[in-house]
Amino acid sequence: MQRSPVTAPTLARLIDAFHRLPGIGPKSAQRLAYYILRAPREEAEALAEALLEVKDRTQLCGVCQNITDVDPCAVCSDPNRAAETICVVEEPLDIVAIERTGAHRGRYHVLHGAISPMDGIGPEDLKVRELLARLGDQGVQEVILATNPNLEGEATAGYLSRVIGAMGLRITRLAHGLPVGADVEYADERTLREALTHRVLMDGEPDRYEAR
Amino acid sequence: MQRSPVTAPTLARLIDAFHRLPGIGPKSAQRLAYYILRAPREEAEALAEALLEVKDRTQLCGVCQNITDVDPCAVCSDPNRAAETICVVEEPLDIVAIERTGAHRGRYHVLHGAISPMDGIGPEDLKVRELLARLGDQGVQEVILATNPNLEGEATAGYLSRVIGAMGLRITRLAHGLPVGADVEYADERTLREALTHRVLMDGEPDRYEAR
């Protein structure tokens, strides 16, 4: 980014650091830096500490692979969350979106991506092994495949459906109703609640299971 | 901000810290936090350090009151910047905007605000005393009043014009051409260049001085 020599180097470095963040343009970066300059020192410190803490203290839950401070995470150690239903998502933010609907009271599993031959991402690059390990011995009865309704997400759901198929579990996916090519994370709550409520059997049968 | 319990507290703190910044909504804050989570540790550290350095190392230039790492600042200590013309602005970002036009080769003075009786801000709350001290003894010949073309900015320009008037200096202001009610900082370069080139005498005479 071209910078005027009248900007102090320290300030220029902060502007650059903000500008490196996704969705922050040069003007926004400048505004944010001058805001920090005028803000109480405590506010700058709080952001600086939060940035480092997130790198130091967070880890993946050994069970569901979601991001957590404690292992196992709050959901996996909550006795009120039904252990017999596991909702499989691509990313942690998908869980946040699904939780907002209030339509899923079971557990989760985060794949941290989707199968994408174009990008050289196969099942072995995702948390698939960890998912299969959970399905054998924890009384799981249903796996909801809540991958994104796009090419990679559908390929992932198809793959998982085949792999899990022999285990005698109910395998469902989110009802189509989500716009194709979109992200689960951005779906409005009503659409997503509908999709959860009317999830359909993975073998394509017209039967519908009502959410518990 | 309402937060789902599935978000790790450490991550929630970072989302909150981002959300506190101006112009960053809840969704953007979430995106930024997850971006940091995946980014190399060096990037999070660079931002954290830049945040603290800006609070620790920056100061006001003892001459022009702009934000700087060294006192006097780069502009005030540059022998190639004409000392006989001082451009008076409300905020440091106004200097960045004026520098982009390339139409001012003199020095600056930052008031850090504008006179606003409604907000209880008078001349004594601005860097006016520091400006007057510069005008006496440094060979200054012209003061360009580049305050914002709104109520507070015009009041400030009027006040400074009266106070400086007796000192026998040329006092100019930016040509009207800037949209009234707007900020200098957001003006496009051509408009701002026109306004600098055709700056007019503060006593309202139609004479125009060409920029040197």
Side-chain angles (χ1 to χ4, degrees):
Chain A
M1 182 177 166
Q2 184 77 24
R3 175 106 40 239
S4 160
V6 297
T7 304
T10 308
L11 193 58
R13 265 195 297 278
L14 182 57
I15 295 172
D16 282 339
F18 273 128
H19 187 35
R20 231 169 282 137
L21 297 176
I24 307 285
K27 278 275 180 187
S28 301
Q30 214 173 48
R31 281 251 141 239
L32 291 172
Y34 277 92
Y35 170 81
I36 290 292
L37 200 61
R38 292 199 182 86
R41 195 190 152 82
E42 294 72 45
E43 193 171 336
E45 276 173 358
L47 179 53
E49 278 165 25
L51 283 162
L52 298 179
E53 273 193 1
V54 133
K55 303 305 283 185
D56 289 337
R57 294 214 196 150
T58 55
Q59 54 182 313
L60 297 189
C61 170
V63 181
C64 74
Q65 312 298 320
N66 193 10
I67 289 144
T68 180
D69 294 351
V70 287
D71 187 10
C73 75
V75 173
C76 287
S77 58
D78 182 352
N80 294 320
R81 305 287 308 220
E84 58 264 32
T85 309
I86 294 182
C87 181
V88 178
V89 297
E90 295 180 19
E91 301 292 347
L93 276 176
D94 298 332
I95 294 183
V96 175
I98 290 173
E99 282 296 291
R100 271 199 297 270
T101 71
H104 175 64
R105 292 300 302 158
R107 307 274 171 99
Y108 289 98
H109 192 87
V110 184
L111 296 172
H112 290 279
I115 294 172
S116 174
M118 293 279 287
D119 302 313
I121 299 173
E124 66 283 0
D125 301 309
L126 308 175
K127 303 295 183 184
V128 170
R129 196 165 43 85
E130 291 81 352
L131 172 63
L132 298 179
R134 294 176 69 183
L135 301 183
D137 52 10
Q138 291 174 15
V140 177
Q141 292 172 14
E142 177 177 354
V143 176
I144 306 174
L145 300 175
T147 51
N148 286 329
N150 56 22
L151 206 64
E152 292 80 11
E154 299 287 2
T156 308
Y159 170 82
L160 290 177
S161 171
R162 284 192 301 277
V163 173
I164 302 169
M167 304 176 85
L169 304 173
R170 186 159 67 186
I171 306 175
T172 56
R173 62 163 174 75
L174 295 185
H176 269 308
L178 294 175
V180 174
D183 279 314
V184 167
E185 154 184 1
Y186 288 118
D188 68 273
E189 294 181 23
R190 283 183 56 195
T191 306
L192 196 51
R193 189 177 297 113
E194 282 296 303
L196 269 164
T197 306
H198 299 290
R199 60 189 188 267
V200 297
L201 269 178
M202 200 61 196
D203 60 9
E205 278 182 21
D207 301 348
R208 284 161 184 274
Y209 291 89
E210 292 303 309
R212 340 176 141 205
Chain B
M1 184 175 162
Q2 184 77 23
R3 175 103 42 236
S4 161
V6 295
T7 303
T10 308
L11 193 57
R13 266 196 297 279
L14 182 57
I15 295 172
D16 283 339
F18 274 128
H19 188 35
R20 230 168 283 136
L21 298 176
I24 307 286
K27 278 276 180 186
S28 300
Q30 213 172 49
R31 280 252 142 237
L32 290 173
Y34 276 92
Y35 170 80
I36 291 292
L37 200 61
R38 293 201 182 86
R41 196 190 151 82
E42 295 71 44
E43 192 170 338
E45 276 173 358
L47 179 52
E49 278 166 23
L51 283 163
L52 298 178
E53 274 193 0
V54 132
K55 303 304 284 185
D56 289 337
R57 293 214 195 150
T58 56
Q59 53 183 315
L60 297 189
C61 170
V63 181
C64 74
Q65 312 298 319
N66 192 11
I67 290 144
T68 180
D69 294 349
V70 288
D71 186 11
C73 75
V75 172
C76 287
S77 59
D78 182 351
N80 294 320
R81 304 289 304 222
E84 58 265 31
T85 308
I86 294 182
C87 181
V88 179
V89 297
E90 296 181 18
E91 302 292 347
L93 277 177
D94 298 331
I95 295 184
V96 176
I98 290 173
E99 282 295 292
R100 272 199 296 268
T101 71
H104 176 63
R105 291 300 302 160
R107 307 275 172 97
Y108 289 98
H109 192 87
V110 184
L111 296 172
H112 290 279
I115 294 172
S116 173
M118 294 277 288
D119 302 314
I121 300 172
E124 67 282 0
D125 300 311
L126 308 175
K127 303 293 185 184
V128 170
R129 194 164 44 83
E130 291 82 352
L131 172 62
L132 298 180
R134 295 176 68 184
L135 301 183
D137 52 10
Q138 290 175 14
V140 177
Q141 291 172 14
E142 176 176 355
V143 176
I144 306 174
L145 300 175
T147 51
N148 285 329
N150 56 22
L151 206 64
E152 293 79 13
E154 299 287 2
T156 307
Y159 170 83
L160 290 176
S161 171
R162 284 192 302 278
V163 172
I164 302 170
M167 304 176 85
L169 304 172
R170 187 159 67 186
I171 306 174
T172 56
R173 62 163 173 75
L174 295 184
H176 269 310
L178 294 176
V180 174
D183 279 314
V184 168
E185 153 184 359
Y186 289 117
D188 68 273
E189 293 181 27
R190 282 183 58 195
T191 307
L192 196 50
R193 190 178 296 114
E194 282 295 304
L196 270 165
T197 304
H198 299 290
R199 61 186 188 268
V200 297
L201 270 178
M202 200 61 196
D203 59 9
E205 276 181 22
D207 301 348
R208 285 162 181 274
Y209 291 89
E210 294 303 309
R212 340 174 142 209

